[in-house]
Amino acid sequence: MDQVDRKIIAALRENGRATYADLGRSVGLSASSVHERVGKLEAAGVITGYHAMVDPNTVGLGVTALVGIHPTDTATEDDVAEALGALDEVESCYAVAGDEAFVVKVRVSTVDDLERTLGRLRRIPGVGRTNTTVVLSTRFEGRPNNAGLDEGRDGNA
């Protein structure tokens, strides 16, 4: 991956719907050259997909919580993670260092739904207890981290 690939990635993270012509103008290549490079980045697994960003409130998911998962002594992390992944309400799952094995981001419609979801989480085999933080507001989320993508690997422009 060279400097031009890094610039293409940064541009796509800002606007995943940009045309190859738009990308080409921003990185100084033809649309066909950008198309070829994007294809190679996708084939190499660097670009793993494209998706729509949706405001959770507008689709009825106005309650967000971060839930720490404390495993039992007999729990296997893979089994717990698989069970967490089966719950539609769990948007993200992070394996973390510390007392908790995982922190999951949960999105639901109401506080009552959150209570039901926490009950389901606690019934997963291997979950000893949970620690929940309810999000009051989101200042920013899901922003592209393009640090270093518009620079060389050594941090120099």
Side-chain angles (χ1 to χ4, degrees):
M1 183 166 44
D2 64 11
Q3 186 64 21
V4 174
D5 289 336
R6 293 176 187 283
K7 288 180 179 179
I8 291 170
I9 292 166
L12 283 172
R13 291 190 75 187
E14 291 292 330
N15 178 9
R17 295 182 64 161
T19 66
Y20 294 126
D22 292 338
L23 293 170
R25 280 189 289 279
S26 73
V27 300
L29 292 176
S30 69
S32 61
S33 293
V34 170
H35 181 263
E36 182 180 338
R37 283 177 176 259
V38 169
K40 288 180 180 177
L41 290 167
E42 290 170 346
V46 175
I47 297 174
T48 59
Y50 303 87
H51 67 277
M53 293 181 66
V54 177
D55 179 351
N57 291 313
T58 64
V59 294
L61 299 175
V63 177
T64 303
L66 305 175
V67 183
I69 307 293
H70 298 262
T72 62
D73 291 338
T74 59
T76 64
E77 289 189 5
D78 289 342
D79 290 341
V80 173
E82 185 176 332
L84 292 168
L87 298 178
D88 289 337
E89 302 90 340
V90 175
E91 184 176 291
S92 304
C93 177
Y94 307 97
V96 297
D99 292 338
E100 301 161 337
F102 300 102
V103 172
V104 296
K105 180 168 42 171
V106 171
R107 287 199 198 269
V108 293
S109 297
T110 66
V111 174
D112 288 341
D113 290 335
L114 177 59
E115 184 177 11
R116 282 188 284 279
T117 299
L118 292 173
R120 291 174 61 203
L121 286 171
R122 290 183 190 115
R123 287 189 297 276
I124 291 173
V127 172
R129 64 185 176 90
T130 62
N131 183 38
T132 304
T133 301
V134 175
V135 175
L136 298 177
S137 67
T138 302
R139 304 306 168 106
F140 61 86
E141 178 177 60
R143 68 186 181 131
N145 178 352
N146 289 325
L149 289 179
D150 58 354
E151 303 171 351
R153 284 189 164 238
D154 59 1
N156 298 323

